[in-house]
Amino acid sequence: MLPLLGLCLALPFCAGSLEEAQSWGDTSEQVALRVPRQVRLLQRLKTKPLMTEFSVKSTIISRYAFTTVVCRMLNRGSEDQEITFQMQIPAAAFITNFTMLIGDKVYQGEITEKEKKNGDKVKEKRNKTTEDSGEKGTETFRASVVLPSKDKAAFFLSYEELLQRRLGKYEHVVSVRPQQLAGRLTVEVTVLESSGIAALEVLGLQNSRRQGSGRGQDDSGPPPSTVINQNETFAKVVFKPTVVQQAKIAQNGILGDFIIRYDVNREQSIGDIQVLNGYFVHYFAPKDLPPLPKNVVFVLDSSASMVGTKLRQTKDALFTILHDLRPQDRFNIIGFSNRVKVWKDHLVSVTPNNIRDGKVYIHHMSPTGGTDINGALQRGIRLLNDFVAHNDIEDRSVSLLVFLTDGKPTAGETHTLKILNNTKEAARGRVCIFTVGIGADVDFRLLEKLSLENCGLTRHVHEDHDARAQLIGFYDEIRTPLLSDIRVDYPPGLVEHATRTLFPNYFNGSEIIIAGKLVDREMDRLHVEVTASNSKKFVVLKKDVPLEPRRMGNDVPGSPRPKGGGQEDPNHLERLWSYLTLKELLSSWLQSVEEPEREQLRQEVQALAVNHRFLTPFTSMTLKSAPRTETPEDAYGTPAATGPETVMQSLRGAHLQPGPALKEPYNPRIKVSKTSADGDPHFVVDFPLSNLTVCFNIDGQPGHILRLVSDHADSGVTVNGELIGAPAPPNGHKKQRTYFRTITILVNKPERSYLEITPTRVIVDGGNRLVLPCNQSAAVGSQGLEVSVSANAKVTVAIQGNVAFVILLHLYKKPAAYQRNHLGFYVANGQGLSGNCHGLLGQFLNQEARLTGLGKNPVHPSVPEAGERSEAVLEVKGHQVPVVWKQRKIYNGEEQVDCWFARNNAANLIDGGYKDYLAAHPFDSETTFGPGTSRGL
């Protein structure tokens, strides 16, 4: 995809891009005089589509944000080109509109109901997209179109979100990542708060939205060219850097996140109630209350996959968190792998000695074994329940379980649904579970449901230098509970369709928000009653709140006016109510297990979303008034045409179906060999110098990760493959089948890069994380690493020009019960791998082999001649292995190879046994063979 290629090309040629953008003229002569070696590439760069404008306008009215993004591009080339518009949007946002202008043609988005048959499939796909989106709390909207030569295109994207209050501040984040220097770049944010704006601040541009602790974080101030105008209830912030200022920030056009934080003034103890045209919203955020004592159990994953940075940063964060516990709190610590280890057999009070002993216990935790998530949760909940049951606690308290893990359940109970049911039954609403998923390999969907079903929150923490701050920041949000068992009541005859009114806890710095409809629009007062528990008493707040309609928003210049179908200007409180209601319906759908209930919730979501123009998991967006271009037929995940297409968003993402697939890039260096691991999985090893091909099978287990190529210490290359299970075909001799569902590649030289390949997407992470869908052709490259995707066919990875792998995509339109979408791994070029290379395939690369026991023929044939025995003895690497001749199909069945087959799971052929080739995690580079043994990541 051209924007991704542009990202890779922008770094070495930013000087040329900058001068071109400044003068809009021909600067090739000036640049060529300076850097003559780059003339040819600069000429190519000049024909790249030019972004003439990238602007974002947000209007925030009573915490509810309307955002519109405008991107204008020009095709300067002499040929038609595919251009791509992409924008990171907050995970909590709903897209409300998308429009394209291609030349003089307009393509307008229309939101409609999605067919039920695609619902579950889309949900699963979008969940995966979210986990792989790169930035925490975001996903990437992407739209591609073919733009004729010398023509212009404009993209308009609108989305809405309700800002959440965390640590006493609302935060609005705008992604400024145009992927190139933009001719005109503007970010304009308007804030309108009738109760008054307090403590507004604009942060320096952030390269990541991974939240830290909030403790004096980022005091660098606003980015250059930022202008702030503010009075008591209104603020306008404009960021408008010139091309020169953009280049000083980031020469590749990825400036970062533009972040505004603020709070509002609060006076009433009952909260702030706003009314407009029959809708109301109630904001409740009391302060100056004594904190509730908390009973907290910290449950820490100490399995083998936590080795290194993850465990060290988690320990450092817990050391800080323990010091933040209050004297009235009680706590305990659990470490778990395949065994569950409890520090104390009961909760202990917060004393200097107990804090010191707890830190010592954490310090001595060492990574080993598997991951018994169910056992650890059960033990932690039992500790909390036992403490509350057997102690006469004078003050009311809250019981919290903070659960940290980096993986999936691999020991004890591993069935997700049983873990969820066991946890919910044990907690019974008395224990709130707050989960933290660390790194890229965690089962975040499981953690999300654990928290959702047990009155908690979840957070995905990325494994980097800031992980400690992220963990502390998450704990800071829940460190001070002020109220528990909160209930908000309104007169039943006066209020209808109210959102959730029961809340298990209220934490200092957060906010409770309720929205609903008023039965009588003319009423002037509303009786509100809030009941809750505080540390020493039962709190009851009652008040008759005067209802004064708010006219702000629609009368303010620049406020959003997304009309549709002749409707009047939008009511921002009606939008807020529909947003909150949709979020709660989707949350209920996620938790529900009964199909009739799920279907009822799905229909409610569809009706509300279509009526209010929200893109959800159960609605789609179609671009209309555009002729279709010719598209390939009978393809898996058919690439989109230039014309009307479907846009889909689920609980965690939105995207436009990809545009016409680019032609497969020609690369004469890549020639696939027979050496491969494909199918069930069947392994083939080619010995070209010996004119021999050997094959063997490995009967793996679902969830196991196999080491395929292990050369971390020398060439810096590691390849692992994760297995997925499927039932065996009927009348077969096997009980189950296994396929590769994920291939992970770690490249350590010259710089570390991570690749994760599945049948649906490729993640390339070498500092800047890219997610490439497999149903679009694309190519990216940097620092000696080149990745090429041929749509729905294969992924080619070239490393340093002397190592290349090809991963085939096996996709099924209508898979049988024993079929799964999976991958095939082929070694195209292994010359750059060292003699110490190991792994199930790697140990045979650059080796020689010969056959004995065939008799008359002195040449070692790959196929026995007529009258010869079909059995022989293979000699390779000092091993003598009985083999038998057979035929095997590779390359999606397109080619048949003759090979000598080693029976019994390759016993005596491979070094060691099956268990020696099991990796602890997808990017595990450790190996037990060879002089270059590595201890992994």
Side-chain angles (χ1 to χ4, degrees), residues 5-301:
L5 292 170
L7 173 62
C8 301
L9 292 172
L11 287 171
F13 313 122
C14 60
S17 297
L18 172 57
E19 295 198 6
E20 180 182 45
Q22 285 177 302
S23 64
W24 296 84
D26 187 359
T27 62
S28 59
E29 182 179 352
Q30 306 170 34
V31 179
L33 290 174
R34 249 189 349 263
V35 194
R37 291 176 299 173
Q38 297 182 351
V39 173
R40 182 172 60 84
L41 290 172
L42 277 171
Q43 291 173 346
R44 288 173 55 196
L45 177 66
K46 288 177 62 178
T47 63
K48 190 181 75 170
L50 178 71
M51 185 175 294
T52 59
E53 178 185 351
F54 181 86
S55 65
V56 183
K57 289 189 177 181
S58 292
T59 302
I60 305 171
I61 309 175
S62 300
R63 292 79 142 173
Y64 193 73
F66 301 83
T67 301
T68 298
V69 184
V70 179
C71 176
R72 301 182 189 273
M73 301 186 76
L74 168 66
N75 179 6
R76 298 169 292 172
S78 57
E79 299 179 352
D80 295 356
Q81 294 192 51
E82 184 185 55
I83 62 172
T84 299
F85 162 69
Q86 64 180 36
M87 179 71 184
Q88 285 187 359
I89 66 172
F94 284 128
I95 290 174
T96 55
N97 191 29
F98 177 65
T99 301
M100 292 194 304
L101 274 64
I102 309 299
D104 57 355
K105 296 181 180 179
V106 179
Y107 305 93
Q108 177 70 45
E110 178 182 343
I111 293 177
T112 58
E113 293 185 1
K114 183 184 298 179
E115 293 182 14
K116 180 184 176 183
K117 64 180 181 180
N118 293 328
D120 292 339
K121 178 180 178 182
V122 170
K123 170 180 65 64
E124 179 182 2
K125 179 178 180 181
R126 302 306 303 157
N127 278 336
K128 291 181 180 178
T129 302
T130 300
E131 293 171 13
D132 301 331
S133 59
E135 296 291 348
K136 174 195 166 297
T138 70
E139 27 315 288
T140 300
F141 176 93
R142 184 178 292 106
S144 299
V145 67
V146 172
L147 184 62
S149 171
K150 309 302 181 183
D151 217 339
K152 298 177 182 179
F155 303 92
F156 301 85
L157 174 69
S158 299
Y159 60 88
E160 301 174 14
E161 67 169 322
L162 177 62
L163 304 185
Q164 299 297 312
R165 188 169 185 254
R166 294 190 175 97
L167 302 175
K169 292 288 181 70
Y170 303 99
E171 183 175 276
H172 181 60
V173 182
V174 174
S175 175
V176 188
R177 292 173 170 84
Q179 309 292 327
Q180 60 173 283
L181 301 179
R184 293 186 298 275
L185 191 151
T186 306
V187 177
E188 181 180 304
V189 181
T190 302
V191 183
L192 303 112
E193 295 287 354
S194 60
S195 55
I197 300 172
L200 183 140
E201 59 178 335
V202 180
L203 278 61
L205 289 169
Q206 308 286 306
N207 289 327
S208 167
R209 10 188 122 181
R210 299 162 191 174
Q211 295 175 348
S213 65
R215 306 181 179 189
Q217 191 184 23
D218 194 335
D219 56 359
S220 60
S225 79
T226 302
V227 178
I228 305 173
N229 292 309
Q230 180 181 358
N231 60 26
E232 184 179 348
T233 61
F234 169 88
K236 186 173 185 178
V237 181
V238 179
F239 172 56
K240 196 173 183 178
T242 65
V243 176
V244 174
Q245 290 171 323
Q246 293 175 48
K248 288 181 178 179
I249 298 170
Q251 296 171 341
N252 60 1
I254 303 179
L255 278 66
D257 291 318
F258 186 79
I259 302 176
I260 293 177
R261 288 179 181 163
Y262 72 95
D263 199 11
V264 298
N265 297 319
R266 289 179 175 80
E267 297 178 359
Q268 301 179 16
S269 60
I270 201 73
D272 177 24
I273 296 182
Q274 300 180 16
V275 176
L276 182 62
N277 294 337
Y279 288 85
F280 77 92
V281 61
H282 182 188
Y283 299 103
F284 181 60
K287 55 183 181 179
D288 301 326
L289 294 171
L292 279 164
K294 58 181 179 289
N295 316 311
V296 58
V297 174
F298 300 99
V299 183
L300 172 60
D301 186 347

Side-chain angles (χ1 to χ4, degrees), residues 105 286 388 497 500 509 614 660 786 817 854 869:
K105 296 181 180 179
V388 173
H497 302 300
R500 184 163 64 115
F614 283 117
E786 297 178 14
L854 278 179
R869 298 172 58 190

Side-chain angles (χ1 to χ4, degrees), residues 745-810:
I745 303 175
L746 171 63
V747 181
N748 205 41
K749 298 177 182 179
E751 294 184 0
R752 178 166 291 197
S753 297
Y754 302 86
L755 282 83
E756 181 179 290
I757 302 162
T758 72
T760 57
R761 53 100 182 99
V762 179
I763 299 177
V764 185
D765 193 347
N768 289 324
R769 182 180 172 103
L770 301 175
V771 181
L772 309 177
C774 287
N775 62 357
Q776 284 184 305
S777 293
V780 295
S782 177
Q783 298 293 330
L785 174 66
E786 297 178 14
V787 180
S788 173
V789 180
S790 297
N792 298 311
K794 65 184 179 182
V795 178
T796 304
V797 180
I799 304 166
Q800 297 299 312
N802 56 13
V803 176
F805 306 120
V806 173
I807 295 90
L808 294 188
L809 309 177
H810 298 288

Side-chain angles (χ1 to χ4, degrees), residues 69 369 383 427 455 798:
V69 184
L383 281 170
C455 61

Side-chain angles (χ1 to χ4, degrees), residues 530-551:
V530 179
T531 58
S533 296
N534 187 238
S535 61
K536 296 183 179 295
K537 60 183 179 180
F538 192 70
V539 177
V540 180
L541 303 174
K542 298 181 180 181
K543 188 168 185 176
D544 289 330
V545 181
L547 302 181
E548 300 177 2
R550 308 294 174 96
R551 293 298 306 163

Side-chain angles (χ1 to χ4, degrees), residues 432-544:
C432 292
I433 300 176
F434 297 83
T435 58
V436 180
I438 305 172
D441 306 322
V442 70
D443 187 349
F444 189 70
R445 183 175 177 83
L446 170 61
L447 300 187
E448 184 179 46
K449 295 195 74 172
L450 281 170
S451 295
L452 199 61
E453 294 179 356
N454 296 281
C455 61
L457 302 171
T458 190
R459 187 63 47 83
H460 196 176
V461 170
H462 293 258
E463 181 190 2
D464 62 8
H465 64 279
D466 197 31
R468 174 182 176 275
Q470 294 176 65
L471 288 168
I472 295 173
F474 179 62
Y475 175 76
D476 281 349
E477 294 182 32
I478 61 174
R479 67 190 292 261
T480 310
L482 298 182
L483 295 172
S484 65
D485 304 320
I486 305 105
R487 180 188 180 98
V488 183
D489 289 309
Y490 311 99
L494 302 179
V495 170
E496 62 182 2
H497 302 300
T499 57
R500 184 163 64 115
T501 58
L502 299 174
F503 304 87
N505 297 300
Y506 166 73
F507 296 96
N508 189 38
S510 65
E511 184 173 56
I512 290 173
I513 304 177
I514 303 166
K517 297 181 181 181
L518 298 176
V519 174
D520 181 7
R521 292 192 178 195
E522 305 302 321
M523 60 188 297
D524 58 357
R525 305 186 76 82
L526 179 65
H527 180 76
V528 181
E529 185 171 321
V530 179
T531 58
S533 296
N534 187 238
S535 61
K536 296 183 179 295
K537 60 183 179 180
F538 192 70
V539 177
V540 180
L541 303 174
K542 298 181 180 181
K543 188 168 185 176
D544 289 330

Side-chain angles (χ1 to χ4, degrees), residues 389-403:
H390 297 101
N391 288 270
D392 185 15
I393 305 173
E394 180 181 348
D395 295 342
R396 293 181 175 87
S397 62
V398 296
S399 294
L400 312 178
L401 190 147
V402 180
F403 183 83

